[in-house]
Amino acid sequence: MLDVSVQNISFTQFKLNGFYALGEWRRLLFIPYFLMFVLAILANSVLLYVIIANRALHSPMFVLIGLMAVVDLGAPVFFVPHMLLSFLFNWNGISLTGCLIQMFCIHYSGSSQSTLLLCMALDRYFAICRPLLYHEHMELSNILKYMIMPLIRNVVLITTIICLAGRLSYCSTDVIDHCFCEHMALVNVACGDTSINNLVGLLSAFIVITLDFLLIIFSYIIIFTSVLKSGKANYKALNTCITHIIVITFSLIFALMAFMSYRLKSNLSSNSHVFLSTMYLLFPSCCNPIIYGLRTKEIRHHILKLIKHKKTVPF
């Protein structure tokens, strides 16, 4: 009779208990995560300001970099403040509705990053392989057309994941072993059959991350082949491609490690799972603006110009 009553209970309030194994040392995590959060906010804000303030940076490539800065600015905001409060004050409670909303925001920002990287690859393809058609195909209106279908795809798939997770019964425990509401972390505390959730999660990862990545790789293979055939004329243009590839590599490595760690049987500890998931979201937000700022000549020039201007302005 007790088992039946327990099965009829479905928790609607949860505790996010990531890094619980660290005990009292868990509070010290506030320092590195707070510093990374501040770096992500400041670096992306500066990059966004520089692109908006300078008309010379209103070309399609820089518009896409600016949109990436918006995504990288928003992603940490969805989970880091709550996580920092949890480290300091153990304020780790969250409702099921709040959890699902946070899950949607986090996963949609990740999928949007993938979509933007694909658009950047398309931008480089037209700039290097079809320069005469570049302005025709990469106008702002056309960029929006290229992005609209992938963004709708992302909304449909992630909404499906959220709806399926919302229909589950959470009767096993109200403790989520994570610092934010990651899909598999929430599904793992559900009771009953979750095979459909696992299947839809895998399909979504394949349709969004894997498909976008394959298209990006295909685009850059064409670009590098075209440059090698044309000689040294376009070598300078490859610099921006290399910048995008560095960003893609960092993003993909952490995304795959975080995603597969929940689905493959491994000896990874609970802390390792949580660390990989937080780095998947936070590390690109910190590094992307720095990589673009240092490696993109035009952006670097305007940032240095901004710094020199601030130094010459009297207080």
Side-chain angles (χ1 to χ4, degrees):
M1 183 69 80
L2 180 62
D3 291 337
V4 172
S5 63
V6 170
Q7 291 294 321
N8 289 331
I9 295 172
S10 183
F11 293 108
T12 58
Q13 295 290 329
F14 297 94
K15 296 176 183 178
L16 294 167
N17 205 28
F19 297 115
Y20 72 93
L22 295 178
E24 290 299 320
W25 294 98
R26 186 172 180 266
R27 291 176 180 269
L28 296 179
L29 290 176
F30 175 87
I31 298 171
Y33 278 104
F34 176 74
L35 292 176
M36 291 186 71
F37 178 65
V38 171
L39 175 61
I41 297 300
L42 289 179
N44 284 291
S45 296
V46 169
L47 179 60
L48 198 57
Y49 171 77
V50 167
I51 291 173
I52 292 173
N54 295 279
R55 293 180 63 88
L57 300 180
H58 290 182
S59 62
M61 182 183 75
F62 298 111
V63 170
L64 289 171
I65 292 175
L67 290 174
M68 181 66 80
V70 172
V71 172
D72 288 337
L73 194 61
V77 173
F78 296 133
F79 77 98
V80 176
H82 188 277
M83 184 173 68
L84 294 177
L85 291 173
S86 174
F87 290 155
L88 279 185
F89 308 112
N90 287 323
W91 293 354
N92 51 8
I94 190 168
S95 66
L96 177 59
T97 302
C99 191
L100 295 174
I101 291 172
Q102 187 187 60
M103 190 192 303
F104 178 86
C105 294
I106 288 172
H107 288 294
Y108 191 73
S109 64
S111 63
S112 297
Q113 187 181 67
S114 174
T115 299
L116 285 170
L117 290 172
L118 178 59
C119 288
M120 288 177 178
L122 187 65
D123 174 84
R124 291 300 85 199
Y125 167 77
F126 280 113
I128 296 173
C129 301
R130 298 287 187 270
L132 296 179
L133 300 175
Y134 179 78
H135 292 291
E136 178 184 345
H137 287 277
M138 294 308 295
E139 291 180 349
L140 184 58
S141 59
N142 285 332
I143 292 175
L144 294 176
K145 289 178 184 177
Y146 298 144
M147 292 178 63
I148 191 69
M149 287 308 296
L151 290 176
I152 291 174
R153 171 203 64 182
N154 299 347
V155 169
V156 171
L157 289 172
I158 294 170
T159 301
T160 303
I161 289 173
I162 301 303
C163 290
L164 288 173
R167 292 172 60 185
L168 292 173
S169 179
Y170 299 96
C171 56
S172 58
T173 180
D174 63 344
V175 177
I176 301 174
D177 188 13
H178 215 299
C179 287
F180 60 87
C181 287
E182 199 271 342
H183 176 238
M184 286 307 299
L186 178 64
V187 169
N188 283 344
V189 302
C191 46
D193 183 20
T194 60
S195 57
I196 186 66
N197 300 81
N198 291 320
L199 178 61
V200 173
L202 282 169
L203 286 174
S204 299
F206 176 78
I207 294 172
V208 177
I209 298 176
T210 308
L211 183 59
D212 285 358
F213 178 70
L214 290 175
L215 291 172
I216 289 168
I217 291 298
F218 181 69
S219 300
Y220 282 118
I221 288 173
I222 295 175
I223 290 169
F224 278 101
T225 303
S226 175
V227 170
L228 291 174
K229 286 181 179 179
S230 64
K232 296 183 178 180
N234 284 325
Y235 279 179
K236 187 176 179 181
L238 281 179
N239 182 60
T240 310
C241 292
I242 293 170
T243 302
H244 293 329
I245 290 171
I246 293 171
V247 170
I248 291 165
T249 302
F250 277 121
S251 301
L252 185 70
I253 287 173
F254 279 106
L256 288 178
M257 289 175 68
F259 181 81
M260 298 309 296
S261 66
Y262 276 100
R263 289 167 173 83
L264 296 178
K265 298 296 182 181
S266 66
N267 294 322
L268 283 176
S269 66
S270 170
N271 289 342
S272 299
H273 282 291
V274 178
F275 175 75
L276 288 174
S277 294
T278 55
M279 287 299 103
Y280 153 58
L281 293 170
L282 197 51
F283 191 80
S285 293
C286 293
C287 289
N288 288 356
I290 296 173
I291 293 170
Y292 285 123
L294 292 177
R295 288 196 54 84
T296 308
K297 180 181 176 181
E298 295 85 351
I299 294 176
R300 184 172 67 247
H301 168 74
H302 285 287
I303 289 176
L304 291 174
K305 187 177 177 182
L306 178 65
I307 293 173
K308 289 179 181 177
H309 175 72
K310 292 293 183 182
K311 286 182 177 179
T312 57
V313 173
F315 290 99

